[in-house]
Amino acid sequence: MRAFVDLPIKHKLTLISLLTSVGALVLACAGFVGYEQLRYKKELIADISATAEMVGYNSTAALSFNDPTAAEQTLQGLVVKPQIVAGFVYEKDGKLFATYPHGKEPGLAAPPPPAETVRFSGNLLEYSRPIVSSGETIGTIFLRVDDRLMRERLNRYGLIGAVVLAVATLAAYLIATRLQRVISNPVSELATIVGHVAADQDYTVRAARRGGDELGRLIDGFNGMLDQIQARDAALQAARNNLEERVVERTTQLQRENSERKRAEEALQASEAFLQSLVENLPVYIFRKDDSGRFTFGNKLFCDRYKCTLAELLGKTAADLLPAAEAERQEEIERQILADGKIRETIEERTDAEGHTTFLQMIKVPVFDRNGVCAGVQGMFLDITERRRAEARLAEASGLLEAMLENSPDFIFFKDRASRFVRFSNAFLRRFGLEQPSQLMGKTDMDFYSSRHAQAALADEQAIIHTGHPVVDKLEKETHVDGRVTWVLTTKMPWRDGKGDIVGTFGISKDVTELKEAEDKLAYERDQLRALLDSSPDTIYFKDLQSRFVLVSRSKVRTALERVPGLRARRVSRGLPGEVLESELLDGLTDFDTFNEADARRAFDDEQRIIATAEAIIGKLEKQVYLDGALRWSLTSKMPWRDREGKIIGTFGISKDITDLKETEEKLQQVHRQLMEASRQAGMAEVATGVLHNVGNVLNSVNVSATLVADLVRHSKAANVAKLAVLFDQNRGNIGDFMTKDPRGQMIPDYLGNLAESLDAEHGKVGAELDNLRKNIEHIKEIVAMQQAYARTSGVIETVSLPEMVEDALRMNAGSLARHDVSLQRDYAARGVVTTDKHKVIQILINLIRNAKYACDETGRTNKQIIVRTANTRQGVAISVVDNGVGIPPENLLRVFNHGFTTRKHGHGFGLHSGALAAKELGGSLEVFSEGAGRGATFILKLPYKRDEPDARPS
Amino acid sequence: MKTSKQAGRWLTLLVGLLSLLPLFASEPPLSKEYQVKAAFLYNFTRFIEWPTARLPKPSDPIVIGVLRAKLLGDELTRLVQGRLANGRNIVVKVIAGADEARDVHLLFVPTGEEHLLQDAESALKEASVATVGESERFQAQNGMIVFVHAADNVRFTINLAAADRAGLKFSSQLLKLATDVRR
């Protein structure tokens, strides 16, 4: 090793190169050969494995179906792989199944295991693997391979490696001996130069430069080192030469400084005088203390403050001038200054004996002695009480403003002369959706509103700046940039600085958008109401708690103007202004000013009840008489008028004038009455006809009787009596002879006897006829009396027997029924009494019976029959008139009660109509049933037991 | 007296019935030949490929049908226990007639039962049933695999044309083993 260290560099380099090359080559060859052997072995096994698998697979069927011949045929395929010297297939249980070549013995002690196995045995490789079919091992294949080829290859590689190594070593030596010069030459050259410098102290020589590698840099560094040494050597020489010149120069400079100092001293004196004057004349308290806290100086102001002379002050301490605590504090400060030499500036609050507080701005500085050591403290202070107070006031004002800007919900803003925002309330900032004051600062209205509004506002503000007049409570419509519209009530004022100059404007705005919108809505609603009040033909009114008109529809005012003379004068008399708009004419007046006392009182009472009970009056019919006497009917609804809290503050109502309607109704009623009357009269006429007919009939009898009597009388034998009298007179003297002798006289007694008998009979006949006559006349009297009774004015409510009443009606028709050969059947189930208008009922019944009779007549049948039936119902009685006449077809059933409906040639068509109306009037009803044409009809009059009191309706 | 006579008759009948019991108690052993054939039937399933329509899912088992041969069926059932064919389970069914034959994949027709398939040839073809038989009659009925005896061994012939018609693919290995392949 020692020997190697001492070897010249060029030999070292050659040796290193050579060893490196050969070493690398040997390792490469060894690796290559080793790798090749491994790879070959692996390939061989892979090849054999694949072959075995293939043969095995192809043997599965042969194994499965136990066909060794087929298996050997398959194994025969191994002939293409010469390195495989033998192959065997075993069954699952280890029995030899097939061999290759045919008949070859495996030469194994035991059958190969049914698993993949590789084994090298001498020059042979033995390989076995299982034969698997459907996941089941059904046999084993075993192959034997000769690996001689592999070893031959390995030997060949070894030989090639040896030859390559020999050639490479030779080549490496040749190259290394040449290339080592590149390094070894410059190194030996440098070594020569170093030797020269060290020996001769010659710093001027330089090594030659060779390229930029480490050697090049080493040479450069070496040359640089020589450069520096050479320069330093020269500089040392120059400095030595320079020193003398500099000593002379310094002497001159010192002399100059001396004269300058003298001048400075003079200046110092002047400056001290100046200082003295400053100290004594400035409005500043100045004092100085030594390091033990004793005063060494105080200016006049200071001395005056503490009421002593300078001489008295000297030697005193703070404790002599100030309260103890304060003095202690000051001295503490001063001790600190003495300790650290730093200036202290404080604000002192002093309260004197009288309780006045003063503020002092105190500056204390250390005083240094000539040696720069702290020798005392100098203090100066100013009385800043006034300033402090002003500041406090200002701060307070400022704080108030801040608080206001911070919290006021109003928009407060300050603008400069160019109308740029300078200060503003938070509410104002938030109004634009901004967060930071900086976002609004310096902006103008132009940035947030439509240009129109912004320009108007700008004009306002410029006017304020020029004239100084504020704009107070101006309602402004603001259109924002996004189109939103808001309303504000703004007051703007000039903003003046301390000198009274206008520096801008400030203002306060209140957002009244909601108010404005509410107002607009209110106005809209008011307009709607006004339109209603102006146009509605109905009377609409609002009244206060005292029923005084508050709001009235125009129609009402018009009517009042028409009906109430001197309405304006009336207003004045009530203490109300007379000259008002037409629509307000009634305002403040009451119903008492338009209607008569009673009607007004009724309305007033209604309204007071509504106010008391909160119950509305709906659809009430009101009769009102105006002061001019005009009567008006109206249909009125009145309701409580509530304010927004729900409190009743009056009433309001709607009235519809239904006077015309009412009049029409009246007329209708009248017509109805007339109709009724006509009907009744018609009924009476009918009755009269019946009566006359009856009377006529009776008169016939009377006539017959009278004629009979007359005949009887005319042909009476009474005349024979006269003849007898004549006979008797002629034979006056000889009555006896005559009577006895004369043959005529002899006949007279018999004749007289016969005559007496005859006359007696005659007398009887006449008496009977006269009796008949009297009876007939009595009958006529009765008929007439009945008619008179019927013709009496109806409307009397009386309690009558139901059968009697029905009988009365029948009696009226009895004659006509008999005439028309209609049999009448009575079936009176109800035998009570009813309280009703008898004559109306009879009239209805007469009508019904008559109709029944006609109906029967029209059939032309012989068994014409009418049944009159009475029955009790739950509410009253039912009187049915049943006929077997022509009947009523269904289409006419509904029309029979119609006015003017008739099926008879001479019918007037209101018999049933008036009957139905009358029944209704009596609180009952008139109904009809018929099974159709030709099947008869039944009319039923239903009446209550007791007629209810007629209602209040005028009728 | 009459009653005891009847009782004696009953006793005789009972004894007769009891004497039959051993016949039911143990089955006759299957011959060696049919044990081999059973193994062959199982092995066939591994070398035959059915159309996908017959075995749509990977989990569908291969059904071996044995036509009216219970003993063979039992042997086969024992044989295929726990075994797979191409990854599928194997099920053995003893069937009675051609109707059931259509549901199986491999059908064994023993000698004497060929007539049952007389009219079912085309139906079995449609159903891709691989048919295995052992008689000339079966071969005449276009049976696909027919067992034959070569020396002492059981071998078989293949009617490949019939298999092709039924859409079945027989492995070349199987064909190689057949003593005769009709194409």
Side-chain angles (χ1 to χ4, degrees):
Chain A
M1 211 57 211
R2 191 77 252 162
F4 179 76
V5 170
D6 293 337
L7 272 179
I9 276 180
K10 62 179 182 181
H11 292 163
K12 272 184 190 155
L13 284 171
T14 309
L15 204 58
I16 287 165
S17 301
L18 206 61
L19 284 175
T20 308
S21 308
V22 172
L25 212 56
V26 167
L27 278 175
C29 284
F32 179 66
V33 171
Y35 167 73
E36 194 61 24
Q37 175 146 14
L38 275 176
R39 191 178 64 87
Y40 183 77
K41 208 158 137 185
K42 223 166 165 181
E43 269 176 12
L44 182 69
I45 291 169
D47 185 33
I48 296 301
S49 168
T51 307
E53 191 182 348
M54 194 183 73
V55 172
Y57 174 74
N58 285 330
S59 305
T60 49
L63 268 172
S64 292
F65 294 103
N66 192 25
D67 193 342
T69 321
E72 282 197 354
Q73 275 170 13
T74 306
L75 279 180
Q76 203 59 43
L78 291 174
V79 80
V80 298
K81 299 254 178 192
Q83 69 269 38
I84 298 179
V85 293
F88 307 93
V89 172
Y90 290 85
E91 283 179 43
K92 198 164 106 184
D93 53 6
K95 213 168 91 194
L96 189 60
F97 186 67
T99 57
Y100 162 80
H102 183 67
K104 174 115 181 172
E105 287 297 318
L108 286 175
E116 187 168 15
T117 320
V118 182
R119 195 160 67 88
F120 287 91
S121 150
N123 299 336
L124 297 174
L125 185 153
E126 288 176 343
Y127 179 86
S128 71
R129 66 173 294 148
I131 299 171
V132 177
S133 172
S134 285
E136 192 187 337
T137 302
I138 58 170
T140 311
I141 182 158
F142 175 73
L143 298 178
R144 188 170 284 150
V145 185
D146 189 345
D147 70 343
R148 214 174 324 158
L149 274 174
M150 190 175 83
R151 273 176 295 116
E152 276 170 13
R153 254 163 69 128
L154 202 62
N155 289 345
R156 216 160 40 237
Y157 285 146
L159 189 64
I160 293 168
V163 173
V164 167
L165 193 63
V167 173
T169 308
L170 185 64
Y173 175 77
L174 292 175
I175 293 165
T177 45
R178 298 244 177 271
L179 288 184
Q180 56 81 25
R181 287 178 204 158
V182 176
I183 293 165
S184 62
N185 281 4
V187 171
S188 45
E189 195 180 326
L190 197 60
T192 316
I193 291 168
V194 169
H196 176 66
V197 170
D200 304 347
Q201 304 262 314
D202 178 3
Y203 302 115
T204 59
V205 292
R206 293 288 184 272
R209 175 87 204 273
R210 289 172 187 265
D213 61 355
E214 289 89 339
L215 273 173
R217 270 181 284 159
L218 183 62
I219 291 164
D220 285 348
F222 180 73
N223 287 344
M225 221 155 68
L226 286 180
D227 283 347
Q228 278 184 14
I229 294 169
Q230 200 177 359
R232 210 166 284 174
D233 204 32
L236 202 63
Q237 192 60 47
R240 201 176 293 150
N241 298 342
N242 206 12
L243 197 57
E244 250 170 66
E245 285 173 25
R246 284 176 62 188
V247 168
V248 173
E249 200 178 307
R250 180 70 188 146
T251 313
T252 332
Q253 203 179 341
L254 277 174
Q255 282 168 349
R256 204 160 53 229
E257 278 172 7
N258 235 358
S259 66
E260 272 171 11
R261 188 173 297 150
K262 199 173 267 174
R263 272 205 302 282
E265 264 168 24
E266 283 163 15
L268 194 66
Q269 275 168 8
S271 146
E272 261 178 14
F274 173 68
L275 207 65
Q276 178 69 23
S277 110
L278 270 184
V279 164
E280 290 304 337
N281 297 320
L282 272 176
V284 179
Y285 303 90
I286 299 171
F287 61 89
R288 201 175 255 225
K289 291 182 182 175
D290 63 13
D291 54 1
S292 57
R294 291 177 205 288
F295 283 102
T296 55
F297 176 75
N299 71 350
K300 189 162 181 309
L301 207 58
F302 186 83
C303 291
D304 289 351
R305 181 180 175 87
Y306 293 104
K307 299 180 179 61
C308 61
T309 63
L310 180 57
E312 283 164 351
L313 181 71
L314 296 178
K316 284 190 176 168
T317 63
D320 298 321
L321 304 181
L322 298 170
E326 185 59 35
E328 179 51 39
R329 210 168 62 77
Q330 293 300 329
E331 281 176 350
E332 176 56 36
I333 291 170
E334 283 152 18
R335 272 197 294 279
Q336 283 171 9
I337 293 169
L338 288 172
D340 62 13
K342 288 190 178 145
I343 295 172
R344 295 285 193 286
E345 186 165 356
T346 54
I347 303 291
E348 304 287 339
E349 187 180 345
R350 297 272 164 82
T351 306
D352 65 13
E354 282 100 50
H356 296 303
T357 302
T358 52
F359 290 94
L360 306 176
Q361 185 178 14
M362 177 83 75
I363 299 170
K364 288 184 177 172
V365 296
V367 178
F368 297 100
D369 68 4
R370 208 165 302 160
N371 301 327
V373 178
C374 256
V377 174
Q378 177 174 302
M380 290 166 272
F381 59 89
L382 284 166
D383 188 333
I384 55 164
T385 309
E386 277 310 310
R387 201 172 86 200
R388 280 296 290 242
R389 283 189 187 140
E391 270 173 16
R393 277 196 303 275
L394 203 63
E396 192 183 13
S398 170
L400 284 174
L401 182 63
E402 284 301 328
M404 192 161 81
L405 293 179
E406 187 82 27
N407 300 314
S408 171
D410 294 340
F411 310 135
I412 304 170
F413 49 86
F414 291 78
K415 295 179 177 181
D416 63 12
R417 288 182 70 96
S419 285
R420 286 187 295 251
F421 293 113
V422 180
R423 293 293 303 272
F424 32 80
S425 62
N426 276 358
F428 193 60
L429 184 66
R430 281 194 303 273
R431 151 159 242 228
F432 300 117
L434 300 176
E435 303 270 318
Q436 299 300 321
S438 60
Q439 292 172 297
L440 184 54
M441 198 75 82
K443 300 264 175 64
T444 68
D445 282 351
M446 288 286 183
D447 295 312
F448 300 105
Y449 298 114
S450 70
S451 62
R452 195 161 152 195
H453 169 66
Q455 274 163 7
L458 183 67
D460 280 352
E461 284 150 17
Q462 290 307 313
I464 292 166
I465 290 166
H466 289 303
T467 64
H469 294 310
V471 172
V472 178
D473 280 349
K474 182 179 180 184
L475 184 66
E476 289 181 307
K477 180 184 176 185
E478 300 172 321
T479 308
H480 293 254
V481 174
D482 59 11
R484 192 159 48 96
V485 172
T486 52
W487 291 84
V488 289
L489 199 64
T490 304
T491 296
K492 289 183 186 174
M493 283 154 288
W495 174 22
R496 295 173 194 275
D497 66 3
K499 289 181 287 179
D501 292 338
I502 295 175
V503 295
T505 55
F506 72 97
I508 300 177
S509 287
K510 218 178 220 325
D511 190 330
V512 292
T513 310
E514 279 177 28
L515 221 61
K516 179 80 181 157
E517 280 169 359
E519 196 180 290
D520 288 347
K521 197 174 161 213
L522 204 64
Y524 178 66
E525 281 173 2
R526 194 178 295 141
D527 288 347
Q528 282 180 327
L529 181 61
R530 197 66 254 172
L532 187 68
L533 293 176
D534 283 350
S535 323
S536 172
D538 295 341
T539 301
I540 304 172
Y541 47 83
F542 290 78
K543 293 180 179 176
D544 65 11
L545 290 172
Q546 283 74 45
S547 290
R548 286 188 297 247
F549 288 113
V550 178
L551 204 57
V552 185
S553 67
R554 190 169 291 266
S555 60
K556 169 89 177 165
V557 177
R558 293 260 163 86
T559 314
L561 274 174
E562 233 172 82
R563 298 283 168 212
V564 184
L567 199 60
R568 285 179 201 274
R570 189 174 279 275
R571 285 183 65 81
V572 175
S573 74
R574 296 265 181 207
L576 296 165
E579 289 308 312
V580 289
L581 293 173
E582 189 190 78
S583 61
E584 291 168 5
L585 261 178
L586 282 176
D587 295 4
L589 295 180
T590 64
D591 280 346
F592 291 98
D593 294 309
T594 54
F595 299 127
N596 75 13
E597 176 76 20
D599 293 339
R601 172 63 56 193
R602 208 164 42 240
F604 181 79
D605 290 346
D606 281 350
E607 284 148 17
Q608 292 306 313
R609 197 164 55 250
I610 291 170
I611 290 164
T613 64
E615 276 169 20
I617 294 174
I618 307 293
K620 183 181 181 185
L621 185 73
E622 282 187 329
K623 189 188 81 176
Q624 281 147 342
V625 178
Y626 278 87
L627 288 178
D628 68 347
L631 185 146
R632 308 300 290 174
W633 288 91
S634 60
L635 199 61
T636 302
S637 292
K638 290 183 181 179
M639 284 138 286
W641 177 22
R642 294 170 189 273
D643 66 4
R644 263 194 294 176
E645 278 82 42
K647 207 178 95 192
I648 295 175
I649 54 168
T651 55
F652 69 99
I654 302 176
S655 290
K656 207 172 189 58
D657 188 326
I658 55 164
T659 309
D660 293 344
L661 214 65
K662 206 67 198 171
E663 279 169 1
T664 313
E665 197 183 308
E666 288 281 329
K667 268 182 208 153
L668 217 62
Q669 288 280 357
Q670 205 176 340
V671 168
H672 180 242
R673 270 199 301 277
Q674 283 168 359
L675 255 173
M676 290 292 292
E677 190 58 29
S679 162
R680 200 173 68 86
Q681 281 167 6
M684 276 167 64
E686 196 77 30
V687 170
T689 313
V691 167
L692 290 179
H693 205 103
N694 292 349
V695 170
N697 277 354
V698 181
L699 279 178
N700 264 346
S701 304
V702 170
N703 197 26
V704 169
S705 295
T707 310
L708 200 66
V709 171
D711 280 356
L712 278 175
V713 170
R714 203 178 299 136
H715 301 108
S716 176
K717 300 272 196 267
N720 294 350
V721 176
K723 286 174 188 169
L724 277 178
V726 171
L727 275 180
F728 276 118
D729 200 34
Q730 285 169 352
N731 301 303
R732 194 170 297 242
N734 54 356
I735 287 290
D737 294 342
F738 178 70
M739 285 291 286
T740 52
K741 308 220 181 123
D742 194 334
R744 285 181 303 174
Q746 288 173 340
M747 287 169 72
I748 284 171
D750 292 338
Y751 177 76
L752 272 179
N754 288 334
L755 185 68
E757 258 175 57
S758 178
L759 281 179
D760 196 34
E762 235 180 69
H763 180 254
K765 269 186 182 170
V766 170
E769 273 315 308
L770 285 177
D771 230 18
N772 241 350
L773 203 60
R774 190 183 49 80
K775 270 187 194 162
N776 280 333
I777 288 166
E778 198 67 27
H779 191 185
I780 291 168
K781 216 168 105 187
E782 250 175 55
I783 292 169
V784 172
M786 178 99 63
Q787 159 69 8
Q788 278 172 341
Y790 172 71
R792 248 175 31 201
T793 317
S794 60
V796 179
I797 305 292
E798 51 195 324
T799 302
V800 290
S801 156
L802 181 64
E804 222 166 78
M805 186 165 64
V806 177
E807 277 302 305
D808 274 355
L810 285 172
R811 203 172 298 132
M812 294 284 188
N813 286 297
S816 98
L817 288 179
R819 262 199 320 283
H820 290 276
D821 196 17
V822 177
S823 77
L824 179 68
Q825 194 181 325
R826 294 175 173 82
D827 179 8
Y828 296 161
R831 301 223 167 247
V833 292
V834 286
T835 304
T836 190
D837 183 335
K838 179 183 168 189
H839 295 286
K840 268 189 187 152
V841 175
I842 289 176
Q843 189 190 343
I844 296 166
L845 289 175
I846 286 170
N847 228 322
L848 294 181
I849 294 163
R850 198 178 65 229
N851 282 350
K853 182 196 72 188
Y854 282 126
C856 290
D857 262 357
E858 276 174 52
T859 59
R861 65 203 303 172
T862 51
N863 60 338
K864 293 180 266 189
Q865 190 186 37
I866 293 175
I867 306 168
V868 177
R869 213 175 261 153
T870 65
N872 290 94
T873 66
R874 199 182 303 168
Q875 287 88 18
V877 294
I879 307 161
S880 313
V881 178
V882 186
D883 66 60
N884 59 353
V886 288
I888 303 164
E891 67 267 23
N892 285 348
L893 267 181
L894 293 172
R895 294 159 62 198
V896 293
F897 296 115
N898 284 3
H899 177 240
F901 178 82
T902 181
T903 55
R904 287 203 309 274
K905 198 186 256 176
H906 299 293
H908 34 60
F910 55 72
L912 280 175
H913 174 67
S914 63
L917 286 178
K920 208 166 166 189
E921 232 169 77
L922 293 170
S925 65
L926 184 56
E927 294 163 16
V928 62
F929 298 99
S930 173
E931 292 184 6
R935 308 188 67 171
T938 301
F939 283 84
I940 302 172
L941 172 64
K942 286 183 179 166
L943 294 171
Y945 287 121
K946 230 178 182 131
R947 172 82 177 94
D948 289 337
E949 280 304 304
D951 59 20
R953 283 202 309 154
S955 56
Chain B
M1 202 57 215
K2 197 177 176 188
T3 327
S4 89
K5 224 176 191 177
Q6 272 182 340
R9 228 178 274 161
W10 278 114
L11 196 67
T12 317
L13 188 62
L14 186 65
V15 170
L17 282 172
L18 283 173
S19 67
L20 288 172
L21 273 176
L23 290 178
F24 295 107
S26 77
E27 290 170 353
L30 194 66
S31 71
K32 174 84 175 121
E33 179 195 334
Y34 279 98
Q35 284 179 20
V36 172
K37 282 181 179 172
F40 271 35
L41 285 173
Y42 157 65
N43 283 331
F44 286 143
T45 60
R46 299 191 297 172
F47 294 96
I48 297 174
E49 201 181 308
W50 278 269
T52 324
R54 269 323 300 274
L55 293 163
K57 281 184 296 193
S59 60
D60 288 336
I62 295 173
V63 183
I64 302 177
V66 185
L67 195 59
R68 295 190 175 178
K70 184 164 186 308
L71 286 182
L72 182 68
D74 292 347
E75 170 69 16
L76 201 47
T77 306
R78 200 165 53 248
L79 197 67
V80 301
Q81 191 66 45
R83 281 182 152 147
L84 300 175
N86 297 329
R88 292 177 190 278
N89 282 317
I90 299 166
V91 174
V92 178
K93 271 168 79 180
V94 178
I95 60 169
D99 288 347
E100 291 173 71
R102 257 174 299 174
D103 297 334
V104 305
H105 296 95
L106 186 80
L107 176 67
F108 177 64
V109 184
T111 309
E113 309 289 357
E114 300 89 344
H115 63 280
L116 292 170
L117 300 179
Q118 194 78 52
D119 304 320
E121 194 190 317
S122 68
L124 294 180
K125 189 188 80 185
E126 287 301 314
S128 299
V129 178
T131 52
V132 183
E134 48 186 0
S135 64
E136 286 181 3
R137 182 175 173 190
F138 176 77
Q139 193 160 27
Q141 282 175 5
N142 276 326
M144 294 172 196
I145 302 173
V146 186
F147 288 124
V148 293
H149 294 268
D152 280 341
N153 289 329
V154 176
R155 299 256 67 95
F156 51 85
T157 63
I158 290 177
N159 184 343
L160 191 60
D164 280 349
R165 280 199 295 276
L168 296 166
K169 282 187 189 141
F170 283 13
S171 159
S172 62
Q173 288 201 47
L174 193 62
L175 298 180
K176 205 162 70 184
L177 295 180
T179 52
D180 179 36
V181 177
R182 211 157 97 199
R183 294 183 192 267

